[in-house]
Amino acid sequence: MSSGLAIPTIQTVAPAVHFAPPPPPLDPQTLPHTGMLHLHDAAGQASAHLSDAAGHAVHEAADAALQVLGSLSGVLLAGRAALLGTRVLAAAAVRAAEEQRCLERQQQLAAAAAEQWEAAAFAAVRVNARRRALLARAARAAAGGGPPGPPPRPDVPPPLTPVGACLGDLRRELARSEEALRRAEERQAAWEQRRLAARLRLDEEQDDDWRRGLRESRRSALERFTAGRTADAEARQLPRQPADRRTEGALDAGEVRRSGAEILGSLDPYAACEAAELAAQAVRHAVRRAAEDPRRARIHLAEARKFVRDANKQAQAAREAQERAAAHYDFLVYETPEGTEDLTPAPDAVALLRRTLDEGVPLTAAGRELVERRVEERVHALEARYVRQQCAGAVAELARRFGGEAGAGRPEGQEIRLDWTPEGWGPGHWLRATLVDGRLRVATMYRGGPGERTAAERALDDERCAESLERLDQLEEITGALGLGLEFKVEHTEGALPGVLGEDAWVLDELIDEAERATGAHRDVAPEARRYRTVDGDGRR
């Protein structure tokens, strides 16, 4: 064996991964140590968690509370959350709350630490998105003016910042933020409801039954709205429909007015005035026809119910779109910590999202496609960094467990290059891993350039190649503990590959192609696109 090829996949996002300063680019003309980061004694410079996290493989629920969320893990989870729908995020919030209750009751949890952190991080994204969408809604309402006076100033807590927090602290903060948001949304919804009534002139009627029925119906609608904003209700996603109370006998004017008040009062507080006006007009027609044509009045009431259902669905869809835009916006404006590589900016998508939040203008189909593409691009870039970090951590852990020297470099054209000289291999041989375009290749290397090898050298090359098979198994085990799926496909060529430890910037694929051409041992390996784990069939990443 001289090389093995694998496509790393993210099975779970380990919670403790931080952004790391990039290793300096490797210049083959400079001194041998330039561009190298020695993982065995300086892993802290790259990412303080690497060797420790790999060595202990913290996956037990009891250990989850001892961890803090790393900067890279945090933003990657936020990006994955931004790609999900409201129902999935709400389900994660329900899981996070249940896990906290289990811990408070001292019950043992079967969930892994990474899964608990994912649920809590997704719930934080949901809360932050609701918060930003509410503030944007209140700002638009204040700018619009008109009755019934200015909207209440939303009394909401600051946005949640999971990075650097302990899991238990984050869960408790989630519960407090949820309750504060619920109260603020209820106050805003009540104001929106009064504004809608004023615009539709629903309170002009002086009939006591009408006003009483309308007031009671509004109160019930507001209670349903508040109850529907909980994570549990969103996860179940059971939309409330206006009651359809049909009277088989004749309808008098009083019954029509009471039914009409109930229908109009059930309007979603955020319903668009234009859509709600259709329902109000249908009720007016029903009231006028009640005495002379009860059948026609009943038809108008049925139309009003349909208009209310449609208006409520549109209001719910607009609310979800606003919150999704807020989650996308928060993710795309995120800046990496100082001293680390910046993420590619997305000013075009950010401008569209800012307009959506500031003006309430829904995204067009083309706009949605652009935003989702920018979000996916950033998530893919973060996943590539995450894989790079975890691969470096796995090599650091190999050196810690089994001895030898390990180092990392960043040659041009490679995401990372990792060299490990197992104990007893030096100075003539080592293992080299390169990550290029999401493909991890590990090869057995010998010190020197291409050329004839003596019989003794070839025999030692073969011995090291045979030992490399065991090393690949060890690497797969360690990456598995770190949440990466890694399955090597062993490629056979003659002997080890030439190189210079810690200096050369050659890509292994190029070396292998050259060796295979020289030996005639070329084997085709079908190219594979970078892949990431998708579960549940709902787009969850």
Side-chain angles (χ1 to χ4, degrees):
M1 173 268 183
S2 68
S3 70
L5 177 67
I7 309 292
T9 61
I10 301 175
Q11 305 292 344
T12 57
V13 176
V17 185
H18 290 268
F19 281 101
L26 187 61
D27 184 350
Q29 304 303 319
T30 59
L31 295 175
H33 67 276
T34 300
M36 286 297 293
L37 174 66
H38 295 287
L39 293 175
H40 67 287
D41 62 1
Q45 293 178 340
S47 183
H49 81 287
L50 287 178
S51 184
D52 182 63
H56 295 92
V58 184
H59 277 269
E60 296 301 323
D63 293 327
L66 303 179
Q67 299 180 351
V68 297
L69 188 62
S71 54
L72 178 52
S73 298
V75 69
L76 178 53
L77 287 171
R80 290 186 161 199
L83 294 171
L84 303 178
T86 302
R87 184 175 180 178
V88 180
L89 292 185
V94 172
R95 289 201 312 273
E98 178 57 30
E99 287 160 358
Q100 178 65 15
R101 287 192 291 270
C102 286
L103 288 179
E104 291 171 353
R105 294 194 299 262
Q106 299 300 308
Q107 293 180 356
Q108 184 177 3
L109 289 174
E115 294 170 349
Q116 293 185 53
W117 266 111
E118 179 187 75
F122 283 9
V125 168
R126 171 181 171 271
V127 165
N128 287 342
R130 285 175 59 189
R131 176 187 179 277
R132 184 179 288 279
L134 175 62
L135 292 174
R137 175 92 188 188
R140 294 197 306 271
R153 182 180 180 85
D155 183 14
V156 294
L160 292 173
T161 53
V163 170
C166 293
L167 185 56
D169 293 341
L170 176 58
R171 285 171 173 160
R172 285 186 286 273
E173 192 62 32
L174 275 168
R176 287 192 291 267
S177 296
E178 280 268 11
E179 179 59 22
L181 266 175
R182 185 193 66 79
R183 292 193 301 267
E185 287 180 338
E186 185 176 33
R187 287 192 295 270
Q188 179 69 25
W191 182 89
E192 298 275 358
Q193 196 179 61
R194 292 194 300 272
R195 181 176 68 165
L196 186 62
R199 289 183 174 180
L200 296 179
R201 303 181 303 281
L202 298 179
D203 291 326
E204 286 183 351
E205 303 292 340
Q206 300 301 314
D207 181 85
D208 290 341
D209 287 344
W210 166 267
R211 297 176 70 87
R212 187 166 47 250
L214 189 60
R215 186 167 54 249
E216 179 61 31
S217 187
R218 283 180 190 163
R219 183 164 52 248
S220 298
L222 195 59
E223 290 172 356
R224 288 195 300 269
F225 172 85
T226 304
R229 296 296 285 153
T230 65
D232 187 62
E234 288 179 7
R236 288 185 282 111
Q237 212 171 37
L238 298 176
R240 299 276 186 167
Q241 301 295 346
D244 189 2
R245 296 185 182 178
R246 298 182 180 179
T247 304
E248 295 301 327
L251 288 176
D252 60 22
E255 180 64 27
V256 170
R257 290 162 77 85
R258 283 190 293 273
S259 296
E262 184 176 352
I263 292 169
L264 294 179
S266 64
L267 276 165
D268 188 296
Y270 287 6
C273 187
E274 296 78 7
E277 174 59 34
L278 295 174
Q281 189 64 36
V283 169
R284 294 187 187 103
H285 288 323
V287 170
R288 284 197 297 268
R289 291 294 190 99
E292 60 188 54
D293 192 348
R295 185 184 66 84
R296 177 61 60 181
R298 189 178 289 112
I299 291 174
H300 285 308
L301 289 179
E303 289 176 343
R305 290 189 185 92
K306 178 183 181 302
F307 290 140
V308 167
R309 280 197 297 270
D310 292 345
N312 288 355
K313 287 179 181 178
Q314 292 170 9
Q316 180 179 355
R319 195 159 48 240
E320 292 178 356
Q322 284 277 300
E323 291 168 11
R324 186 171 176 82
H328 287 161
Y329 179 83
D330 286 341
F331 177 60
L332 290 177
V333 299
Y334 172 86
E335 295 182 354
T336 58
E338 186 176 354
T340 63
E341 292 177 88
D342 293 332
L343 294 167
T344 303
D348 48 0
V350 168
L352 288 175
L353 293 169
R354 187 70 263 174
R355 180 168 178 257
T356 293
L357 294 170
D358 289 345
E359 303 175 19
V361 179
L363 291 171
T364 63
R368 285 195 302 272
E369 182 181 352
L370 172 65
V371 168
E372 289 172 2
R373 185 165 66 249
R374 293 291 182 261
V375 171
E376 288 178 355
E377 289 170 354
R378 178 164 284 201
V379 169
H380 291 162
L382 287 166
E383 286 173 330
R385 291 194 193 189
Y386 179 87
V387 168
R388 186 174 76 207
Q389 290 283 90
Q390 296 298 72
C391 287
V395 172
E397 178 60 16
L398 276 173
R400 190 189 71 81
R401 288 190 191 181
F402 304 107
E405 300 286 324
R410 192 77 183 279
E412 185 178 355
Q414 300 180 33
E415 295 173 40
I416 197 169
R417 191 214 57 217
L418 305 162
D419 285 341
W420 174 43
T421 305
E423 199 166 282
W425 278 38
H429 291 82
W430 73 96
L431 283 175
R432 168 161 293 173
T434 60
L435 188 62
V436 180
D437 294 331
R439 296 156 58 96
L440 181 69
R441 190 185 293 275
V442 178
T444 310
M445 308 290 293
Y446 71 83
R447 185 182 296 274
E452 279 297 320
R453 303 278 282 167
T454 66
E457 289 172 334
R458 288 197 300 272
L460 185 57
D461 289 348
D462 292 341
E463 182 180 339
R464 297 292 182 242
C465 286
E467 294 174 9
S468 297
L469 292 172
E470 181 182 357
R471 302 303 185 187
L472 291 185
D473 291 339
Q474 294 165 348
L475 184 58
E476 288 181 3
E477 177 186 353
I478 292 171
T479 54
L482 289 174
L484 288 187
L486 200 67
E487 185 176 349
F488 280 101
K489 176 178 181 179
V490 177
E491 300 174 327
H492 294 274
T493 61
E494 292 188 2
L497 298 174
V500 180
L501 180 64
E503 287 191 44
D504 64 293
W506 295 332
V507 179
L508 282 181
D509 287 350
E510 298 171 357
L511 285 173
I512 290 170
D513 287 345
E514 183 179 338
E516 288 175 339
R517 284 195 299 271
T519 61
H522 178 73
R523 296 177 181 269
D524 290 330
V525 179
E528 294 187 58
R530 183 177 303 168
R531 65 180 188 269
Y532 302 104
R533 183 170 179 254
T534 301
V535 297
D536 296 341
D538 58 4
R540 182 179 171 194
R541 300 174 68 81

